[in-house]
Amino acid sequence: MDDFKESNTNSIFIHPKYADVIGFLEELQELKENSRDQLLPEVAIRHGISLNESKCLYLRASELFDDDRLLLGRPKGSKNQEVIIRALDRAYQMSIKDPKKLRMFIEIFAHKQNLNNSSIHFGIKEAQLEILQSFILVGCQLIDASHWQVRAYSEQAVSDVKKDLSLSSSIRVGARESFHGCEVRVVQKKRKRSNKNLAVTDDYYASSGVLKYLGYFLMVLIEDKV
């Protein structure tokens, strides 16, 4: 029990039980915006979150979005749910054992993220590729390498980048014509169901939304540097 208490105080998560935080934010999100402040203590108690923690989490979540959302919708499918739960478990362990690494991952995500896009982009200059390397090395500790994909103007260009940066061979490569830079995303296998779909093959990889969901949630969950 003492070990659990100690690990909680050492974690850089504002509240150690991420599932409770998700439940808290989801319940709060269903309330009308003008009644959230008033009902905050009641909702926080239901999810076992202290008043100070709940105020901090609510403020951070409401600042991330320019509408009344506090959380992104969870990506559909049981496989995506498994990937997210595993990633959050690993992030919690990292928040205790290597918080600096986790902060760096989230700082890069926060700088690069765009609500309209589920991938993040890096330039082709050396400094940008070094940031990409740092991001993916930590990313593969949270989400298995086989779920990641890097795309550039050709698959060969991505293979060269992977080799130069000593990235996992399990990271998928992809081509995006006329694209300048590298696009990084977490993908899932999908099946083409319509001729309107521009995918070249019947089975293809598309963004799963997992990286976007995880990144935004960790931006809420990880405390500011003191």
Side-chain angles (χ1 to χ4, degrees), residues 10-215:
N10 288 341
S11 170
I12 57 168
F13 278 14
I14 291 169
H15 184 78
K17 294 181 179 174
Y18 64 79
D20 292 339
V21 177
I22 291 171
F24 162 71
L25 291 174
E26 284 179 343
E27 186 176 341
L28 212 54
Q29 187 171 250
E30 286 174 14
L31 300 172
K32 288 181 179 168
E33 229 177 321
N34 56 9
S35 60
R36 287 174 181 174
D37 284 330
Q38 185 188 343
L39 295 170
L40 187 74
E42 189 184 311
V43 178
I45 285 168
R46 259 199 295 279
H47 294 278
I49 298 173
S50 76
L51 192 55
N52 279 346
E53 288 171 346
S54 67
K55 282 179 180 174
C56 183
L57 291 164
Y58 173 49
L59 181 66
R60 292 164 77 95
S62 55
E63 284 175 346
L64 279 185
F65 304 101
D66 53 12
D67 49 27
D68 63 353
R69 282 183 297 177
L70 299 174
L71 202 61
L72 292 174
R74 293 193 220 187
K76 293 187 175 85
S78 58
K79 282 187 181 174
N80 285 335
Q81 296 301 315
E82 283 171 27
V83 173
I84 288 169
I85 290 166
R86 200 177 299 123
L88 285 167
D89 281 342
R90 291 171 178 177
Y92 178 63
Q93 294 306 317
M94 196 181 283
S95 78
I96 298 163
K97 293 173 182 166
D98 206 343
K100 196 180 283 187
K101 196 187 278 185
L102 188 60
R103 277 196 201 282
M104 177 202 66
F105 177 81
I106 287 307
E107 279 166 11
I108 295 171
F109 177 84
H111 181 65
K112 296 278 185 185
Q113 55 80 24
N114 176 343
L115 257 178
N116 298 321
N117 215 316
S118 53
S119 57
I120 59 175
H121 300 159
F122 297 85
I124 53 172
K125 291 186 176 172
E126 192 177 340
Q128 279 289 300
L129 291 176
E130 283 174 7
I131 295 169
L132 180 153
Q133 180 188 42
S134 301
F135 182 78
I136 290 198
L137 286 175
V138 179
C140 287
Q141 289 181 255
L142 301 176
I143 298 168
D144 293 346
S146 59
H147 293 291
W148 290 88
Q149 185 187 52
V150 179
R151 297 200 298 178
Y153 65 88
S154 76
E155 290 193 359
Q156 186 55 52
V158 181
S159 296
D160 292 343
V161 165
K162 276 173 57 176
K163 192 176 174 186
D164 291 347
L165 300 180
S166 304
L167 299 177
S168 169
S169 59
S170 300
I171 294 169
R172 300 183 187 281
V173 300
R176 191 175 161 186
E177 282 181 32
S178 310
F179 185 72
H180 191 67
C182 290
E183 177 194 61
V184 173
R185 57 191 194 158
V186 172
V187 293
Q188 65 185 129
K189 198 171 190 177
K190 289 196 170 181
R191 187 148 187 87
K192 189 173 174 177
R193 300 190 188 281
S194 154
N195 289 331
K196 290 178 184 173
N197 189 319
L198 298 176
V200 179
T201 55
D202 284 346
D203 288 319
Y204 65 100
Y205 286 93
S207 177
S208 64
V210 164
L211 175 58
K212 189 169 161 181
Y213 181 88
L214 180 70

